[in-house]
Amino acid sequence: MTGDFALWVFLTRTPLLWLTVTLTAYVVADRVSAATGRHPLANPVLHAIWMVGLVLIVTRTPYAVYFEGAQFVHFLLGPATVALAIPLYEHRKTVTRVLVPMLAALAVGSTVALVAGIGTAKLLGVPDPILIALAPKSVTASVAMGITSALGGDPTLTAVLVILTGILGAIMVTPLLDRLGITDYRARGFAVGLAAHGIGTARAFQVSEVAGTFAGIAMGLNAFLTAVLVPLALAFLR
């Protein structure tokens, strides 16, 4: 038992341990998701999070120690986002044909997501620091945390809210759009990318490459527009 404990202490000081734990959890969750036919409730990000969290709780590992080893995955968020330009280029003719309605949907969707979130929170008496962290919830994590930090909010809380928004969006998008009778993968993808950023975009790619392409476009454009709208909206509410 002493030898096993010593081995565990050694491994916890090795950065590759937590990278391995993270990747293993995601692979297991993704296999389960594939086995269920990519059911919305079997979202691999959702289940990888609780599996990694359980390991951290059982081993009493501080988040800072975990992140030191798993930060390579965080680093890859940037290249993965840039790589979304590849399917965009491949479907550029399709994108060009619907550019005007797409920009109109962006303006409406981004504004509604922002106003609904901070408006409801304001009516419920949510304090301003939390309001700031909540405002960019529909934007990909790296951009949302930057917006919150610039406005004096808590980027860590923003990251949690962004992840929750993405997971809920990825779970709800398929049954909701099916219920609404929306079958065009361009519209479906754009909607989920706008509302649920990167996690929603990953879900869209599981369903259709066209949906994933439009989700990636919506995610990128919404990040830019939200960065402009959030300070204006918060200033108006104050």
Side-chain angles (χ1 to χ4, degrees):
M1 182 65 71
T2 303
D4 292 340
F5 179 74
L7 176 61
W8 174 252
V9 171
F10 170 76
L11 288 175
T12 57
R13 294 178 180 176
T14 305
L16 285 178
L17 170 67
W18 298 113
L19 177 61
T20 303
V21 168
T22 303
L23 296 178
T24 300
Y26 186 82
V27 169
V28 170
D30 189 61
R31 294 280 180 87
V32 173
S33 176
T36 63
R38 300 296 180 187
H39 191 281
L41 291 176
N43 186 280
V45 175
L46 169 62
H47 295 290
I49 287 174
W50 71 256
M51 283 191 282
V52 172
L54 183 62
V55 172
L56 296 182
I57 291 172
V58 171
T59 60
R60 298 183 180 180
T61 303
Y63 176 77
V65 174
Y66 162 75
F67 186 74
E68 183 180 353
Q71 61 182 323
F72 183 66
V73 177
H74 178 75
F75 166 77
L76 288 177
L77 285 174
T81 302
V82 174
L84 291 172
I86 296 174
L88 170 60
Y89 176 78
E90 292 175 346
H91 295 278
R92 60 191 181 280
K93 292 182 179 178
T94 304
V95 172
T96 303
R97 286 197 296 267
V98 294
L99 187 60
V100 173
M102 189 167 62
L103 292 176
L106 169 69
V108 173
S110 184
T111 303
V112 169
L114 180 60
V115 172
I118 63 176
T120 303
K122 190 69 175 179
L123 289 173
L124 294 174
V126 173
D128 282 352
I130 298 179
L131 203 65
I132 294 172
L134 173 68
K137 62 177 175 51
S138 295
V139 179
T140 189
S142 55
V143 176
M145 292 172 71
I147 294 172
T148 299
S149 181
L151 294 173
D154 183 355
T156 304
L157 178 58
T158 293
V160 173
L161 294 170
V162 166
I163 291 172
L164 288 174
T165 300
I167 290 174
L168 288 173
I171 290 173
M172 294 172 61
V173 61
T174 298
L176 177 61
L177 295 179
D178 285 345
R179 184 67 61 88
L180 293 173
I182 299 174
T183 58
D184 190 325
Y185 280 124
R186 297 172 300 177
R188 292 171 72 103
F190 198 84
V192 69
L194 188 63
H197 52 82
I199 298 176
T201 299
R203 170 62 182 166
F205 270 111
Q206 290 177 344
V207 176
S208 160
E209 185 173 325
V210 172
T213 298
F214 277 82
I217 295 170
M219 180 181 71
L221 293 176
N222 189 40
F224 170 76
L225 186 56
T226 301
V228 175
L229 294 178
V230 166
L232 296 176
L234 291 175
F236 175 77
L237 286 176
R238 287 170 178 168

